[in-house]
Amino acid sequence: MEALERGRLVAFPTETVYGLGADASSAEAVERIFAAKGRPRGHPLIVHVADAAGAEALGCPLGAVGRRLADAFWPGPLTLIVERGPGVVPEATGGRDTVGLRVPDHPLTLALLRAFGRGVAGPSANRFGSVSPTTAAHVVDDLGSAVDLVLDGGPSRVGVESTIVDLTGPEPTLLRPGGIAVVEIEAAIGGPVVDGRRGPARASGMLASHYAPAVPVELIEADAVEEAVERAASAGLRVGLVAPFDHRHRPGWRLPADAGGYAAALYATLREADGSGLDRLLVVPPETGGLRDAVLDRLAKAAAPRDAGRV
Ligand code: TXA
Ligand code: MG
Protein backbone atom coordinates (compact mmCIF):
# COMPACT_ATOMS: atom_id res chain seq x y z
CA MET A 1 0.00 0.00 0.00
CA GLU A 2 2.86 2.33 0.85
CA ALA A 3 4.40 1.55 -2.54
CA LEU A 4 1.14 2.57 -4.26
CA GLU A 5 1.05 5.78 -2.26
CA ARG A 6 4.55 6.60 -3.46
CA GLY A 7 3.41 6.17 -7.07
CA ARG A 8 5.15 2.79 -7.50
CA LEU A 9 4.08 -0.25 -9.53
CA VAL A 10 2.67 -3.18 -7.58
CA ALA A 11 1.74 -6.43 -9.34
CA PHE A 12 -1.28 -8.00 -7.65
CA PRO A 13 -3.10 -11.33 -7.86
CA THR A 14 -6.70 -11.57 -9.03
CA GLU A 15 -9.00 -14.49 -9.81
CA THR A 16 -8.60 -13.79 -13.56
CA VAL A 17 -4.95 -12.86 -14.21
CA TYR A 18 -2.29 -10.85 -12.36
CA GLY A 19 -2.59 -7.06 -12.66
CA LEU A 20 0.08 -4.37 -12.82
CA GLY A 21 -1.21 -1.74 -10.40
CA ALA A 22 -0.65 1.95 -9.84
CA ASP A 23 -2.57 4.81 -8.20
CA ALA A 24 -5.38 5.69 -10.64
CA SER A 25 -5.49 9.25 -9.32
CA SER A 26 -1.88 9.99 -10.30
CA ALA A 27 -0.85 10.70 -13.89
CA GLU A 28 2.82 9.95 -13.11
CA ALA A 29 2.02 6.62 -11.46
CA VAL A 30 -0.19 5.59 -14.39
CA GLU A 31 2.51 6.61 -16.89
CA ARG A 32 4.82 4.05 -15.26
CA ILE A 33 2.36 1.28 -16.21
CA PHE A 34 2.41 2.18 -19.91
CA ALA A 35 6.21 2.43 -19.86
CA ALA A 36 6.68 -0.94 -18.09
CA LYS A 37 4.26 -2.80 -20.38
CA GLY A 38 5.28 -1.11 -23.61
CA ARG A 39 1.58 -0.36 -24.04
CA PRO A 40 0.34 2.41 -26.36
CA ARG A 41 -0.88 5.40 -24.28
CA GLY A 42 -4.28 5.38 -26.00
CA HIS A 43 -5.25 1.98 -24.58
CA PRO A 44 -7.43 2.50 -21.50
CA LEU A 45 -6.70 0.69 -18.23
CA ILE A 46 -9.16 -1.07 -15.93
CA VAL A 47 -9.44 0.55 -12.49
CA HIS A 48 -9.81 -1.78 -9.50
CA VAL A 49 -11.78 -0.85 -6.39
CA ALA A 50 -12.71 -2.64 -3.16
CA ASP A 51 -16.48 -2.54 -3.69
CA ALA A 52 -19.34 -0.71 -5.44
CA ALA A 53 -19.16 2.13 -2.89
CA GLY A 54 -15.48 2.50 -3.80
CA ALA A 55 -16.51 2.92 -7.45
CA GLU A 56 -19.00 5.64 -6.62
CA ALA A 57 -16.40 7.30 -4.35
CA LEU A 58 -14.25 7.86 -7.46
CA GLY A 59 -17.17 9.87 -8.85
CA CYS A 60 -18.08 7.10 -11.29
CA PRO A 61 -21.87 6.53 -11.18
CA LEU A 62 -22.78 2.88 -11.77
CA GLY A 63 -26.42 3.56 -12.59
CA ALA A 64 -29.28 1.14 -11.92
CA VAL A 65 -28.04 -1.61 -14.27
CA GLY A 66 -24.47 -1.20 -13.00
CA ARG A 67 -25.56 -1.49 -9.38
CA ARG A 68 -27.55 -4.61 -10.16
CA LEU A 69 -24.56 -6.20 -11.92
CA ALA A 70 -22.20 -5.14 -9.15
CA ASP A 71 -24.55 -6.75 -6.60
CA ALA A 72 -24.69 -9.96 -8.61
CA PHE A 73 -21.03 -10.34 -9.64
CA TRP A 74 -18.64 -8.19 -7.55
CA PRO A 75 -16.18 -9.25 -6.34
CA GLY A 76 -15.74 -11.17 -9.59
CA PRO A 77 -14.58 -11.23 -13.21
CA LEU A 78 -16.84 -8.49 -14.57
CA THR A 79 -15.62 -5.05 -15.72
CA LEU A 80 -18.21 -2.31 -16.16
CA ILE A 81 -17.54 0.65 -18.46
CA VAL A 82 -19.11 3.75 -16.93
CA GLU A 83 -18.55 7.50 -16.92
CA ARG A 84 -15.11 8.48 -15.60
CA GLY A 85 -15.19 10.54 -12.39
CA PRO A 86 -12.54 12.83 -10.86
CA GLY A 87 -10.96 9.96 -8.88
CA VAL A 88 -9.47 8.60 -12.12
CA VAL A 89 -6.99 10.70 -14.13
CA PRO A 90 -7.65 10.89 -17.90
CA GLU A 91 -4.19 9.37 -18.53
CA ALA A 92 -5.54 6.08 -17.11
CA THR A 93 -8.27 5.91 -19.74
CA GLY A 94 -6.32 7.07 -22.79
CA GLY A 95 -8.14 10.41 -22.50
CA ARG A 96 -11.61 8.84 -22.60
CA ASP A 97 -14.42 10.16 -20.43
CA THR A 98 -15.39 6.57 -19.65
CA VAL A 99 -13.61 4.05 -17.41
CA GLY A 100 -13.64 0.30 -16.84
CA LEU A 101 -14.21 -0.60 -13.16
CA ARG A 102 -13.84 -3.94 -11.46
CA VAL A 103 -13.77 -5.48 -7.96
CA PRO A 104 -11.37 -8.43 -8.16
CA ASP A 105 -12.16 -11.57 -6.18
CA HIS A 106 -8.91 -12.19 -4.32
CA PRO A 107 -8.54 -11.72 -0.54
CA LEU A 108 -5.01 -10.29 -0.68
CA THR A 109 -5.90 -7.72 -3.34
CA LEU A 110 -9.22 -6.82 -1.71
CA ALA A 111 -7.32 -6.09 1.52
CA LEU A 112 -4.87 -3.92 -0.42
CA LEU A 113 -7.68 -2.01 -2.15
CA ARG A 114 -9.52 -1.44 1.13
CA ALA A 115 -6.39 -0.15 2.84
CA PHE A 116 -5.43 2.07 -0.11
CA GLY A 117 -8.92 3.55 -0.43
CA ARG A 118 -8.41 4.92 -3.95
CA GLY A 119 -8.67 3.23 -7.34
CA VAL A 120 -5.84 1.06 -8.62
CA ALA A 121 -5.33 1.18 -12.38
CA GLY A 122 -4.20 -2.25 -13.48
CA PRO A 123 -3.86 -3.93 -16.85
CA SER A 124 -2.70 -7.52 -17.03
CA ALA A 125 0.92 -7.66 -15.79
CA ASN A 126 2.55 -8.78 -19.04
CA ARG A 127 4.35 -7.06 -21.90
CA PHE A 128 1.80 -5.60 -24.36
CA GLY A 129 0.39 -8.24 -26.73
CA SER A 130 1.77 -11.31 -24.97
CA VAL A 131 0.02 -13.97 -22.88
CA SER A 132 -1.43 -12.72 -19.57
CA PRO A 133 0.23 -13.93 -16.34
CA THR A 134 -1.61 -16.32 -14.04
CA THR A 135 1.19 -16.73 -11.49
CA ALA A 136 3.62 -14.36 -9.75
CA ALA A 137 6.48 -16.15 -11.54
CA HIS A 138 4.94 -15.26 -14.94
CA VAL A 139 4.95 -11.59 -13.90
CA VAL A 140 8.61 -11.72 -12.92
CA ASP A 141 9.48 -13.55 -16.18
CA ASP A 142 7.75 -10.86 -18.25
CA LEU A 143 8.42 -7.62 -16.42
CA GLY A 144 11.32 -8.37 -14.06
CA SER A 145 12.76 -5.24 -12.51
CA ALA A 146 10.24 -2.98 -14.29
CA VAL A 147 7.85 -3.71 -11.40
CA ASP A 148 8.62 -2.51 -7.87
CA LEU A 149 6.74 -5.19 -5.94
CA VAL A 150 5.01 -8.48 -6.86
CA LEU A 151 2.37 -9.79 -4.44
CA ASP A 152 2.20 -13.57 -4.73
CA GLY A 153 -1.37 -14.80 -4.24
CA GLY A 154 -0.97 -18.19 -5.90
CA PRO A 155 -2.25 -19.23 -9.32
CA SER A 156 -5.28 -17.35 -10.69
CA ARG A 157 -8.45 -19.40 -10.26
CA VAL A 158 -10.39 -18.32 -13.38
CA GLY A 159 -7.42 -17.91 -15.70
CA VAL A 160 -8.91 -15.66 -18.40
CA GLU A 161 -9.57 -11.92 -18.12
CA SER A 162 -12.82 -10.36 -16.97
CA THR A 163 -15.91 -9.98 -19.14
CA ILE A 164 -16.22 -6.31 -20.19
CA VAL A 165 -19.69 -4.75 -20.49
CA ASP A 166 -20.12 -1.15 -21.64
CA LEU A 167 -22.95 0.60 -19.80
CA THR A 168 -22.46 4.04 -21.36
CA GLY A 169 -24.58 3.44 -24.50
CA PRO A 170 -28.31 2.94 -24.95
CA GLU A 171 -27.96 -0.82 -24.28
CA PRO A 172 -25.49 -2.91 -22.23
CA THR A 173 -22.82 -3.97 -24.75
CA LEU A 174 -20.27 -6.78 -24.58
CA LEU A 175 -16.74 -5.58 -25.42
CA ARG A 176 -14.83 -8.70 -24.34
CA PRO A 177 -16.07 -12.16 -23.33
CA GLY A 178 -14.40 -13.34 -20.14
CA GLY A 179 -14.70 -14.99 -16.76
CA ILE A 180 -18.48 -14.56 -16.49
CA ALA A 181 -20.68 -15.96 -19.25
CA VAL A 182 -22.90 -13.45 -21.05
CA VAL A 183 -26.02 -15.53 -20.37
CA GLU A 184 -25.43 -15.06 -16.63
CA ILE A 185 -25.15 -11.30 -17.11
CA GLU A 186 -28.32 -11.23 -19.20
CA ALA A 187 -30.13 -13.21 -16.50
CA ALA A 188 -29.04 -10.71 -13.84
CA ILE A 189 -30.12 -7.71 -15.94
CA GLY A 190 -33.32 -9.38 -17.13
CA GLY A 191 -32.59 -8.28 -20.72
CA PRO A 192 -30.16 -8.71 -23.61
CA VAL A 193 -26.50 -7.72 -23.80
CA VAL A 194 -25.62 -6.49 -27.30
CA ASP A 195 -22.50 -8.01 -28.88
CA GLY A 196 -20.17 -5.06 -29.44
CA ARG A 197 -17.27 -7.07 -30.80
CA ARG A 198 -17.99 -6.26 -34.41
CA GLY A 199 -16.89 -2.91 -35.80
CA PRO A 200 -13.74 -0.98 -34.86
CA ALA A 201 -11.63 -2.35 -31.97
CA ARG A 202 -12.67 -0.53 -28.82
CA ALA A 203 -10.74 -2.57 -26.28
CA SER A 204 -7.09 -3.55 -26.70
CA GLY A 205 -8.08 -7.17 -26.12
CA MET A 206 -10.24 -6.77 -29.22
CA LEU A 207 -7.25 -6.41 -31.53
CA ALA A 208 -7.05 -9.47 -33.76
CA SER A 209 -3.62 -10.51 -32.49
CA HIS A 210 -3.37 -10.30 -28.73
CA TYR A 211 -2.76 -12.70 -25.87
CA ALA A 212 -0.36 -14.34 -28.30
CA PRO A 213 2.51 -16.68 -27.48
CA ALA A 214 5.63 -16.51 -29.68
CA VAL A 215 5.07 -19.99 -31.18
CA PRO A 216 2.57 -20.00 -34.10
CA VAL A 217 -0.73 -21.46 -32.91
CA GLU A 218 -3.07 -23.46 -35.16
CA LEU A 219 -6.61 -24.19 -34.00
CA ILE A 220 -7.97 -27.59 -35.03
CA GLU A 221 -11.00 -29.76 -34.36
CA ALA A 222 -10.57 -32.98 -32.37
CA ASP A 223 -11.10 -35.22 -35.41
CA ALA A 224 -8.44 -33.37 -37.43
CA VAL A 225 -5.58 -33.96 -34.97
CA GLU A 226 -4.00 -36.97 -36.68
CA GLU A 227 -4.02 -35.37 -40.09
CA ALA A 228 -2.61 -32.06 -38.77
CA VAL A 229 0.20 -33.85 -36.90
CA GLU A 230 1.12 -35.85 -40.01
CA ARG A 231 1.02 -32.78 -42.25
CA ALA A 232 3.32 -30.84 -39.92
CA ALA A 233 5.68 -33.79 -39.44
CA SER A 234 6.02 -34.35 -43.18
CA ALA A 235 6.88 -30.65 -43.54
CA GLY A 236 9.68 -31.25 -41.03
CA LEU A 237 8.05 -29.13 -38.31
CA ARG A 238 8.33 -29.85 -34.60
CA VAL A 239 4.75 -29.63 -33.34
CA GLY A 240 3.15 -29.67 -29.91
CA LEU A 241 -0.47 -30.56 -29.14
CA VAL A 242 -2.84 -29.05 -26.57
CA ALA A 243 -6.16 -30.90 -26.33
CA PRO A 244 -9.06 -31.41 -23.89
CA PHE A 245 -8.71 -35.23 -24.03
CA ASP A 246 -6.03 -37.85 -23.38
CA HIS A 247 -3.49 -38.18 -26.16
CA ARG A 248 0.02 -39.54 -26.60
CA HIS A 249 1.53 -36.74 -28.65
CA ARG A 250 4.79 -35.29 -27.25
CA PRO A 251 5.37 -32.54 -26.51
CA GLY A 252 1.76 -32.44 -25.45
CA TRP A 253 -0.61 -31.08 -22.88
CA ARG A 254 -3.97 -32.41 -21.74
CA LEU A 255 -6.42 -29.75 -20.55
CA PRO A 256 -9.80 -30.29 -18.85
CA ALA A 257 -12.76 -30.87 -21.22
CA ASP A 258 -14.87 -28.21 -19.51
CA ALA A 259 -14.07 -24.64 -20.62
CA GLY A 260 -13.79 -23.46 -17.00
CA GLY A 261 -11.00 -25.89 -16.15
CA TYR A 262 -9.49 -25.37 -19.60
CA ALA A 263 -9.41 -21.59 -19.06
CA ALA A 264 -7.72 -21.94 -15.67
CA ALA A 265 -4.81 -23.87 -17.22
CA LEU A 266 -4.65 -22.21 -20.66
CA TYR A 267 -2.19 -19.34 -20.23
CA ALA A 268 0.31 -21.32 -18.16
CA THR A 269 0.16 -24.05 -20.83
CA LEU A 270 0.75 -21.56 -23.67
CA ARG A 271 3.77 -20.16 -21.78
CA GLU A 272 5.16 -23.64 -21.20
CA ALA A 273 4.65 -24.56 -24.86
CA ASP A 274 6.37 -21.33 -25.83
CA GLY A 275 9.47 -22.44 -23.96
CA SER A 276 9.57 -25.85 -25.67
CA GLY A 277 11.29 -24.87 -28.92
CA LEU A 278 8.30 -25.75 -31.11
CA ASP A 279 7.71 -24.68 -34.70
CA ARG A 280 3.96 -24.91 -34.26
CA LEU A 281 1.41 -25.53 -31.53
CA LEU A 282 -1.81 -27.36 -32.46
CA VAL A 283 -4.67 -26.50 -30.10
CA VAL A 284 -8.05 -28.24 -29.82
CA PRO A 285 -10.65 -25.97 -28.08
CA PRO A 286 -12.83 -27.14 -25.17
CA GLU A 287 -16.17 -28.73 -26.03
CA THR A 288 -18.51 -27.41 -23.37
CA GLY A 289 -19.00 -24.93 -20.55
CA GLY A 290 -20.05 -21.33 -19.97
CA LEU A 291 -16.52 -19.99 -20.49
CA ARG A 292 -16.23 -21.52 -23.96
CA ASP A 293 -16.85 -18.16 -25.66
CA ALA A 294 -14.04 -16.50 -23.67
CA VAL A 295 -11.63 -19.37 -24.37
CA LEU A 296 -12.45 -19.39 -28.12
CA ASP A 297 -11.90 -15.62 -28.21
CA ARG A 298 -8.43 -15.93 -26.62
CA LEU A 299 -7.48 -18.92 -28.80
CA ALA A 300 -8.53 -17.09 -31.98
CA LYS A 301 -6.31 -14.18 -30.93
CA ALA A 302 -3.41 -16.47 -30.08
CA ALA A 303 -3.77 -18.03 -33.55
CA ALA A 304 -4.10 -14.73 -35.47
CA PRO A 305 -1.14 -13.68 -37.64
CA ARG A 306 1.41 -11.78 -35.59
CA ASP A 307 0.89 -8.38 -37.20
CA ALA A 308 -2.92 -8.62 -37.55
CA GLY A 309 -4.70 -5.64 -36.09
CA ARG A 310 -1.66 -4.37 -34.23
CA VAL A 311 -1.24 -0.64 -33.90
O1 TXA B 1 -9.43 -9.57 -15.66
C1 TXA B 1 -9.05 -8.46 -16.02
O2 TXA B 1 -9.82 -7.65 -16.55
C2 TXA B 1 -7.57 -8.11 -15.80
C3 TXA B 1 -7.31 -8.03 -14.29
C4 TXA B 1 -5.92 -7.57 -13.97
O3 TXA B 1 -8.28 -7.22 -13.69
N1 TXA B 1 -7.23 -6.88 -16.44
C5 TXA B 1 -7.10 -6.76 -17.79
O4 TXA B 1 -6.65 -5.52 -18.19
O5 TXA B 1 -7.33 -7.64 -18.57
P1 TXA B 1 -6.12 -5.21 -19.65
O6 TXA B 1 -5.59 -3.80 -19.58
O7 TXA B 1 -5.18 -6.24 -20.09
O8 TXA B 1 -7.40 -5.18 -20.50
C6 TXA B 1 -8.33 -4.16 -20.26
C7 TXA B 1 -9.31 -4.07 -21.38
C8 TXA B 1 -8.63 -3.54 -22.61
O9 TXA B 1 -9.05 -4.33 -23.70
C9 TXA B 1 -9.16 -2.12 -22.68
O10 TXA B 1 -9.17 -1.63 -23.98
C10 TXA B 1 -10.54 -2.26 -22.07
O11 TXA B 1 -10.33 -3.14 -21.03
N2 TXA B 1 -11.02 -1.00 -21.51
C11 TXA B 1 -10.63 -0.41 -20.38
N3 TXA B 1 -11.24 0.78 -20.20
C12 TXA B 1 -12.06 0.93 -21.27
C13 TXA B 1 -12.95 1.97 -21.68
N4 TXA B 1 -13.12 3.08 -20.98
N5 TXA B 1 -13.62 1.79 -22.83
C14 TXA B 1 -13.44 0.65 -23.56
N6 TXA B 1 -12.61 -0.36 -23.22
C15 TXA B 1 -11.92 -0.21 -22.10
MG1 MG C 1 -3.92 -7.49 -21.17
Side-chain angles (χ1 to χ4, degrees), residues 105-134:
D105 188 13
H106 194 292
L108 189 57
T109 295
L110 282 174
L112 176 76
L113 290 168
R114 270 188 220 107
F116 185 55
R118 299 197 286 273
V120 173
S124 51
N126 53 284
R127 300 276 311 164
F128 181 69
S130 79
V131 177
S132 296
T134 52

Side-chain angles (χ1 to χ4, degrees), residues 73 180-189 191 193 290:
F73 300 113
I180 292 182
V182 172
V183 286
E184 285 189 58
I185 296 169
E186 290 179 325
I189 295 175
V193 172

Side-chain angles (χ1 to χ4, degrees), residues 12 14 16-19 37 39 43-46 48 79 81 93 96 98-100 102 122-124 160-162 164 175-176 202-206 211:
F12 57 92
T14 85
T16 59
V17 302
Y18 275 68
K37 274 192 66 113
R39 175 160 164 143
H43 286 263
L45 307 174
I46 288 174
H48 300 76
T79 294
I81 308 288
T93 63
R96 286 170 182 69
T98 60
V99 60
R102 174 165 118 76
S124 51
V160 291
E161 297 83 351
S162 58
I164 304 180
L175 298 188
R176 177 176 77 181
R202 280 198 281 162
S204 71
M206 293 168 76
Y211 311 105

Side-chain angles (χ1 to χ4, degrees), residues 154-176:
S156 297
R157 175 174 55 80
V158 175
V160 291
E161 297 83 351
S162 58
T163 304
I164 304 180
V165 175
D166 186 352
L167 298 179
T168 63
E171 283 160 317
T173 303
L174 176 73
L175 298 188
R176 177 176 77 181

Side-chain angles (χ1 to χ4, degrees), residues 226-253:
E226 240 171 85
E227 191 209 311
V229 168
E230 270 166 34
R231 193 167 12 94
S234 65
L237 298 177
R238 191 171 132 79
V239 291
L241 175 65
V242 174
F245 47 77
D246 288 327
H247 62 83
R248 305 169 74 88
H249 187 84
R250 294 295 171 268
W253 294 263

